[in-house]
Amino acid sequence: MNCEYLLDKVFTVSEIGQIIKETVSEMFYGLNVEGEVCNFRTNQSRHWYFSIKDKDGSLLNCTCFAGNNWKERRPENGELVVLKGSLSFWPKGGSLTFNAESIRLKGEGDLRLEIEKRRAYYKSLGYFDDDIKKPLPENISTIGIITSAEGAVIHDIMNVTKRRAPSINLLLFPSLVQGKGAEENIAMRIRQANNFSPCDLLIVCRGGGSEEDLAPYSSTAVIEAIHDSILPVISAVGHDSDFPLSDFVADLRAPTPSAAAELVTEGAYKKRLMLERMEKELHDDIKNILLDKKLWLSSLKMNTAFMHKKLERYKSIILSSYELRRIIRSRMNELSYEKAALDDRLNRSMEERNRRIRDRLRESSSQLSALMKDITLKASNRLKENEVESRLVVMELFRNKKSQAQLLMSRAEDLSPLSILERGYSIMTDEKGRIVRSISQIEKDDDYTVRLSDGYVFVKAEDKNEL
Amino acid sequence: MSFETDLKRLEEITELLKDENTGLEKAIELYEEASKLTKSLNKTLSSLERRIEKVTSDDEFELEKEEIAEDEA
C-alpha cells in the first residue's frame, strides 16, 4: 500500500473498516490469550459470546462459534482460561473481537503434561507391572470403599452389592474426591485401611469429573499409597474414558464404581448361582429317586395283593396241621388193619397153593408113568406093523418099476429107425450119403442107395414125377 | 465348617444321589443333609445381615467406625 496515497486519501468508514479487518485477520491469528471469563452468554445459534479480562481492567470481547465450541467445555464466568484463536474486526459494529477456536482452563495443559511425565516415571519404576498385581481374594467378607460419604457413588455400590452379594459387609472410608487436600486424604485412607485391615480389599473410587477433578487420583501420594498397599486395590475413577494413574498402579481397574462393585461380588454372585443350580439339581434328584421308589412300591403292593388273594384261596383248601395229623393217624390205623388182614390172607393162600401144587405134582407123576408105559407099548406095536407094511410096499414098488421098465424098453425098440424099416419102410441116400426127403433132391441119372431092413439096393433115377 | 467344604460336600451328595447304588433311606438322609447345607450356605450368601459401616476417625493410626443404615446413603 502506498503511504502517500493513504495520507492524501479521505476514506469512508466502511473502507477503513475493511482495511482494519483485512490487516487484523492477516496479522493476528494463532494467538494464545489468557484472562478471566466474564459476561458469558449464548444464543439460539449456539454461538458463545463472552469477554476475558485482566486484573488491571483490560477487556477483550470474545466469540466461540458453534462450529468450534461443540468440542469444548463451556466456560463459567470467573474461570481463568487460555484461548487460542485470531483477532477479527467487524466493520458494521466497529468492534474488535477475539474469535476463540479452543478454550482450556489455565493450568489444564500443564496438568496433563505433568501427569504424563509422572506416568512415564512410575512406569519406569515398575509400579504398573503386571507381575506385582495382587489377585482379588476368593472369599470376600468385607469390602473397603474409599470415596465421598455423599453422592451417588457409595449409593450405587451399596445397591449393586445388595443385589448380587447381600451378605458382604461394606466399610466406607470417607474421603475428599477432588480439590485441595484430596490426594493426601485419599492416600491417608489407603494407609489407614492397611494399618488395620478391617476389610479384604479396597475400592478407590469416585464419579465422573473434569481432568482437574480427577487429578488427585494421579497424584504421587495416591500412587505411592496404592503401590504400598497390602490389601488388593481396585481403582474405579470417573468414566470408562478416564485413565487416572491410580488405574495403572492398582491391582485391577474398573471402568466405573458400579463395575467395581460387580467385579468384587462376582465370586459370591457365581456361588449363589451355583448354589441355586445345585439346589435344583438335588431337588430333581431326590424327586426322581422318590418317584422311582414309589413306582416300585406300587408294583410291589399290587404283587402283595395278588399273593394275598392266592393265599386266601389256598387257605380254604389247606387243612390245619392238627387236622392233618388226625387224618394221617386214622389213615395209618386203617392201613395197619388192612395189612394184618392181607398178611393173614396171604399166608392162607400160600399154604393152599403149596398143597395144591404138591397134589398136582403127585398126580402128574403117576399119570406120566402110565402114559410112558402106554407110549412104549404102542410104539413097539407100530414098529412091528410098519416093518410088515414097508416090506409089502417095497415089493409092490419093485414090481411096478419092473413092468414100467419093460414097457419103456419095448417102446424104445419101436422108436428105432431100424424097427421102422422092419415095418416096410426104406431109406434113400444120394451119392454123398445124404438122406433124400424130397423129390427135388432127385437128379435124373444120378445113382442112389436104398436101405431096407436087411440090406441095400443100388438104383439109378431114370425119371421123376412130383406129386 | 467353611463355605468351601460345605460346597464340596454338597457336590459329593449330588454325585451320591445320582448313584443308583444309593438306597432310598441313604438318599433321603443325604437329601436332608444337603437341604441343611444349602439352607446354611444360602443364608451365608443371601442373608441381608450385612454390616455397613463408616470410618469416623481421621487419623490413619486409629480406626473408629459407626454403623450407617442401609437407606442412609
Side-chain angles (χ1 to χ4, degrees):
Chain A
M1 197 178 284
N2 193 324
C3 287
E4 278 175 29
Y5 164 77
L6 276 178
L7 293 173
D8 290 344
K9 183 166 168 64
V10 176
F11 294 99
T12 62
V13 179
S14 59
E15 272 172 345
I16 203 75
Q18 196 56 40
I19 289 169
I20 297 169
K21 180 178 160 66
E22 282 173 14
T23 311
V24 163
S25 62
E26 274 169 19
M27 296 186 68
F28 302 99
Y29 58 89
L31 299 175
N32 290 303
V33 190
E34 75 169 65
E36 188 190 315
V37 178
C38 59
N39 305 325
F40 183 91
R41 64 197 184 280
T42 183
N43 67 2
Q44 274 195 333
S45 35
R46 296 196 307 279
H47 303 312
W48 293 346
Y49 302 96
F50 57 99
S51 305
I52 53 172
K53 59 180 182 185
D54 265 346
K55 279 176 193 150
D56 60 9
S58 298
L59 193 87
L60 181 64
N61 291 327
C62 304
T63 55
C64 186
F65 295 116
N68 286 323
N69 72 23
W70 63 271
K71 60 184 189 321
E72 296 297 328
R73 178 185 152 280
R74 182 179 173 145
E76 304 286 335
N77 287 333
E79 274 178 351
L80 205 59
V81 293
V82 178
L83 308 178
K84 186 176 184 169
S86 50
L87 278 174
S88 162
F89 184 74
W90 186 44
K92 294 237 162 112
S95 61
L96 189 73
T97 53
F98 187 83
N99 182 18
E101 284 148 22
S102 75
I103 306 167
R104 61 179 170 83
L105 284 169
K106 173 146 171 63
E108 199 176 61
D110 305 342
L111 182 67
R112 202 175 287 175
L113 203 68
E114 201 181 320
I115 290 174
E116 192 48 44
K117 266 191 212 158
R118 203 176 294 149
R119 201 178 75 81
Y121 173 67
Y122 281 111
K123 189 173 164 37
S124 74
L125 291 185
Y127 274 38
F128 305 159
D129 288 356
D130 282 342
D131 55 5
I132 60 165
K133 297 210 181 297
K134 295 176 281 294
L136 293 190
E138 258 184 48
N139 297 308
I140 298 168
S141 62
T142 305
I143 303 168
I145 304 149
I146 301 177
T147 193
S148 167
E150 289 90 35
V153 170
I154 186 66
H155 190 74
D156 288 350
I157 290 177
M158 279 164 85
N159 280 340
V160 172
T161 51
K162 181 179 177 179
R163 175 165 52 80
R164 288 166 62 92
S167 59
I168 294 181
N169 301 318
L170 304 181
L171 178 58
L172 170 66
F173 292 81
S175 77
L176 299 174
V177 291
Q178 65 189 67
K180 199 162 169 261
E183 55 191 69
E184 192 37 53
N185 191 237
I186 296 162
M188 185 277 282
R189 289 303 189 197
I190 296 170
R191 289 194 299 271
Q192 189 181 34
N194 275 281
N195 288 340
F196 294 93
S197 291
C199 51
D200 302 300
L201 82 165
L202 287 172
I203 301 176
V204 176
C205 57
R206 61 150 287 153
S210 68
E211 270 181 56
E212 208 169 28
D213 290 345
L214 306 188
Y217 293 89
S218 294
S219 68
T220 304
V222 171
I223 291 172
E224 292 289 356
I226 292 176
H227 180 254
D228 291 344
S229 175
I230 294 158
L231 297 170
V233 177
I234 299 175
S235 164
V237 177
H239 299 300
D240 195 16
S241 52
D242 297 317
F243 285 91
L245 296 186
S246 60
D247 278 7
F248 297 95
V249 70
D251 298 300
L252 194 65
R253 172 193 186 256
T256 61
S258 297
E262 279 180 13
L263 274 172
V264 293
T265 50
E266 190 61 22
Y269 185 61
K270 271 188 183 154
K271 270 180 198 163
R272 253 176 81 193
L273 290 183
M274 187 167 87
L275 198 63
E276 262 171 40
R277 203 193 62 234
M278 277 178 87
E279 212 175 345
K280 191 185 171 302
E281 207 175 313
L282 276 164
H283 192 70
D284 288 351
D285 282 350
I286 196 76
K287 221 161 115 185
N288 283 340
I289 291 174
L290 287 176
L291 195 70
D292 265 10
K293 302 291 177 194
K294 218 169 160 184
L295 284 174
W296 190 46
L297 196 66
S298 64
S299 84
L300 278 179
K301 252 185 191 165
M302 263 171 66
N303 279 350
T304 320
F306 181 68
M307 288 301 286
H308 193 71
K309 261 188 204 161
K310 225 170 174 177
L311 262 173
E312 285 296 316
R313 216 168 59 228
Y314 285 142
K315 238 183 195 170
S316 62
I317 302 168
I318 297 168
L319 302 164
S320 73
S321 62
Y322 169 75
E323 259 176 305
L324 268 175
R325 266 204 302 278
R326 198 176 52 77
I327 289 169
I328 289 169
R329 209 178 299 132
S330 76
R331 185 99 183 100
M332 272 168 74
N333 282 342
E334 273 172 33
L335 283 172
S336 66
Y337 287 138
E338 249 171 68
K339 183 176 176 283
L342 278 173
D343 280 350
D344 189 40
R345 238 168 79 190
L346 190 68
N347 284 340
R348 268 188 287 133
S349 74
M350 284 295 280
E351 269 169 37
E352 176 73 12
R353 212 172 131 203
N354 286 348
R355 195 178 48 77
R356 264 210 311 259
I357 289 169
R358 268 197 306 276
D359 289 353
R360 213 142 100 209
L361 214 60
R362 240 189 333 262
E363 204 180 308
S364 299
S365 83
S366 68
Q367 269 178 358
L368 198 64
S369 63
L371 203 63
M372 282 302 283
K373 231 179 260 170
D374 193 34
I375 286 170
T376 321
L377 190 68
K378 270 186 190 160
S380 77
N381 286 347
R382 196 117 131 242
L383 209 59
K384 269 179 222 158
E385 272 171 35
N386 280 351
E387 219 176 71
V388 176
E389 209 177 313
S390 59
R391 204 180 297 147
L392 285 176
V393 169
V394 169
M395 278 168 67
E396 179 67 28
L397 204 64
F398 185 70
R399 257 197 313 274
N400 280 352
K401 290 294 172 191
K402 200 179 164 185
S403 63
Q404 217 171 13
Q406 278 169 344
L407 186 69
L408 282 171
M409 273 163 70
S410 70
R411 203 175 287 171
E413 266 173 50
D414 288 349
L415 282 172
S416 163
L418 297 178
S419 66
I420 294 167
L421 293 182
E422 278 175 15
R423 279 190 272 158
Y425 297 98
S426 57
I427 300 165
M428 190 189 214
T429 54
D430 62 11
E431 285 172 326
K432 287 168 184 168
R434 291 179 298 203
I435 292 172
V436 180
R437 296 176 202 270
S438 161
I439 195 74
S440 62
Q441 286 174 265
I442 304 293
E443 296 293 326
K444 204 179 167 190
D445 293 330
D446 273 2
D447 293 324
Y448 296 93
T449 308
V450 177
R451 166 144 189 199
L452 303 171
S453 66
D454 50 355
Y456 300 90
V457 184
F458 303 100
V459 294
K460 193 176 205 102
E462 288 188 353
D463 208 354
K464 68 171 189 180
N465 279 320
E466 278 182 36
L467 289 174
Chain B
M1 262 201 276
S2 81
F3 189 90
E4 297 305 315
T5 43
D6 278 0
L7 210 62
K8 202 159 266 171
R9 175 66 187 148
L10 211 56
E11 270 170 356
E12 265 173 36
I13 290 175
T14 321
E15 287 305 307
L16 283 171
L17 281 183
K18 288 203 192 317
D19 190 345
E20 285 178 6
N21 296 326
T22 308
L24 180 63
E25 278 175 22
K26 186 71 188 165
I28 290 172
E29 197 182 294
L30 285 170
Y31 182 70
E32 276 168 359
E33 187 190 341
S35 293
K36 270 184 208 157
L37 281 174
T38 46
K39 211 172 274 176
S40 85
L41 286 173
N42 256 327
K43 200 178 164 193
T44 315
L45 283 178
S46 316
S47 73
L48 236 180
E49 288 171 6
R50 67 172 177 178
R51 245 184 5 259
I52 305 182
E53 289 172 309
K54 184 167 83 175
V55 174
T56 53
S57 43
D58 288 334
D59 183 336
E60 66 183 271
F61 298 107
E62 278 175 21
L63 190 79
E64 275 166 25
K65 301 178 278 184
E66 67 174 32
E67 204 148 317
I68 47 178
E70 191 77 43
D71 52 335
E72 196 178 292

